[in-house]
């Protein structure tokens, strides 16, 4: 009877142990914390990264809907980094012992100050430190990566940044995927038809601040003789100084285009047995701008 009672207590203790929900080998322990905002609300999908003392990533992931995470790691010394959009990063050190739970408790993230915006006025794209690239899936095969080598643009920054405007012109013939035969095909009437439509143009006067360093830049993209509304999901990286001390601003942006929206059709080519890129194209921009002289 006493043996059964003790056995029952042992099983109950195992079920309620801090490590009961985390499988750990004998040489490992668990590391956990709960991520909160300044008003003590959980921050779901905050990103965490655990590295060892040499800076090597051991585990990473996102917090659950309650702002919590727990991870099994080998016993040792670790560094934890927690980040979430709109918040300043959090870093801490932790020592994890064998068969034990190391909890950092509640971690409160502080709201990040958005980076300083460019001064009002005209800023032009600096092509040497900018890139406009794209990724498309080759039908039945791997991804194709390419870029446009020639482009120019101006951003007119307003006193109220959300009233700013931009105009970008891309030389369609400058498309480059590092394969001449493919590039010639992309320039042909089957795709960009550069003889008839020598440029791609994007114009926007709708800048919407999404919080932190995130912006949505919505405008009209003219491609292959068709104009469609496109939104660039933009990350503003802030101000910096170039090699000669000039002030410059930087951003990254992405969007996805559907080729059929721009009448760049592929069904007829498939019917002729020509293997082409897939129906959607991801566009990625890394842009630096400098005051227009």
């Amino acid at each position: 009877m006493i043996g059964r009672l003790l056995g029952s207590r042992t099983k109950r203790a195992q079920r309620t142990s801090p490590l009961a929900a985390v499988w750990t080998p004998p040489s490992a322990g668990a590391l956990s914390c709960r991520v909160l905002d300044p008003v003590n609300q959980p921050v779901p999908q905050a990103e965490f990264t655990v590295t060892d003392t040499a800076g090597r990533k051991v585990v990473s992931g996102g917090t659950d809907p309650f702002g919590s995470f727990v991870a099994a790691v080998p016993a040792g010394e670790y560094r934890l980094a927690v980040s979430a959009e709109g918040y300043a990063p959090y870093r801490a050190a932790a020592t994890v012992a064998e068969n034990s739970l190391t909890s950092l408790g509640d971690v409160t993230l502080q709201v990040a100050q958005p980076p300083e915006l460019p001064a009002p006025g005209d800023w032009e794209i600096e092509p040497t430190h900018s890139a406009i690239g794209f990724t498309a899936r080759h039908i039945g095969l791997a991804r194709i990566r390419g870029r446009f080598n020639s482009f120019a643009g101006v951003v007119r920054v307003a006193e109220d940044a959300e009233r700013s405007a931009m105009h970008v012109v891309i030389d369609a013939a400058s498309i480059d995927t590092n394969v001449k035969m493919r590039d010639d095909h992309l320039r042909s009437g089957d795709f960009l038809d550069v003889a008839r439509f020598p440029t791609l143009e994007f114009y926007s006067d709708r800048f919407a601040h999404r919080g932190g360093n995130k912006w949505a830049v919505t405008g009209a993209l003219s491609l292959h003789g068709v104009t469609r509304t496109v939104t660039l999901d933009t990350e503003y990286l802030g101000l910096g100084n170039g090699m000669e001390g000039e002030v410059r601003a930087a951003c990254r942006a992405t969007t996805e285009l559907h080729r059929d929206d721009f009448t760049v059709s592929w069904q007829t080519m498939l019917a002729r047995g020509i293997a082409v890129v897939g129906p959607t194209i991801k566009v990625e921009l890394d842009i630096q701008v400098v005051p227009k002289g």
Side-chain angles (χ1 to χ4, degrees):
M1 179 69 176
I2 293 176
R4 287 199 299 272
L5 179 59
L6 290 175
S8 175
R9 287 178 177 172
T10 300
K11 290 178 182 177
R12 195 158 50 242
Q14 289 174 343
R15 286 197 298 270
T16 58
S17 164
L19 291 179
V22 183
W23 180 86
T24 56
S27 61
L31 178 64
S32 73
C33 79
R34 186 171 64 140
V35 182
L36 304 176
D37 66 15
V39 293
N40 293 324
Q41 294 300 305
V43 181
Q45 297 305 310
E47 296 180 0
F48 70 87
T49 303
V50 179
T51 56
D52 62 18
T53 53
R56 295 170 298 203
K57 183 169 70 174
V58 177
V59 65
S60 63
T63 56
D64 65 23
F66 305 99
S68 301
F69 87 86
V70 59
V73 295
E77 302 285 335
Y78 294 99
R79 303 289 183 272
L80 171 70
V82 181
S83 62
E85 184 177 328
Y87 297 94
Y90 173 90
R91 293 177 174 83
T95 301
V96 178
E98 293 183 6
N99 195 36
S100 68
L101 172 65
T102 299
S103 175
L104 299 177
D106 291 344
V107 168
T108 301
L109 300 182
Q110 300 301 319
V111 176
Q113 293 298 316
E116 181 184 358
L117 295 174
D122 288 348
W123 296 66
E124 60 185 348
I125 293 177
E126 206 281 283
T128 305
H129 296 95
S130 300
I132 299 178
F134 61 87
T135 305
R137 183 171 293 280
H138 195 285
I139 293 178
L141 298 173
R143 288 184 175 87
I144 294 172
R145 300 183 187 278
R147 60 191 179 276
F148 289 95
N149 291 325
S150 179
F151 50 86
V154 174
V155 180
R156 176 159 291 172
V157 180
E159 291 285 351
D160 176 358
E162 292 193 298
R163 296 181 177 273
S164 300
M166 69 181 299
H167 184 205
V168 179
V169 179
I170 302 171
D171 177 5
S174 72
I175 193 168
D176 184 357
T177 66
N178 290 322
V179 178
K180 183 179 185 303
M181 182 179 295
R182 181 167 60 210
D183 293 343
D184 289 342
H185 189 197
L186 291 172
R187 297 183 186 107
S188 74
D190 284 341
F191 285 93
L192 294 177
D193 197 1
V194 301
R196 295 175 59 203
F197 310 108
T199 62
L200 292 73
E201 294 194 42
F202 179 74
Y203 176 80
S204 171
D205 59 1
R206 285 177 282 173
F207 285 55
H209 188 208
R210 289 180 168 172
N213 62 350
K214 302 294 186 181
W215 290 75
V217 180
T218 300
L221 174 64
S222 298
L223 187 163
H224 200 251
V226 177
T227 300
R228 293 283 186 268
T229 299
V230 170
T231 296
L232 302 178
D233 294 319
T234 306
E235 178 185 8
Y236 174 60
L237 303 177
L239 298 173
N241 293 315
M243 294 287 290
E244 299 179 0
E246 77 279 10
V247 177
R248 57 181 60 220
C251 72
R252 297 192 189 100
T254 62
T255 193
E256 186 173 83
L257 306 180
H258 295 264
R259 290 198 293 108
D260 282 352
D261 288 346
F262 295 91
T263 67
V264 184
S265 183
W266 51 274
Q267 285 86 351
T268 56
M269 287 176 279
L270 284 178
R272 302 203 312 265
I274 301 174
V276 295
V277 296
T280 61
I281 299 172
K282 181 179 181 180
V283 180
E284 299 174 300
L285 303 93
D286 280 284
I287 300 297
Q288 290 191 21
V289 295
V290 295
K292 187 174 181 180

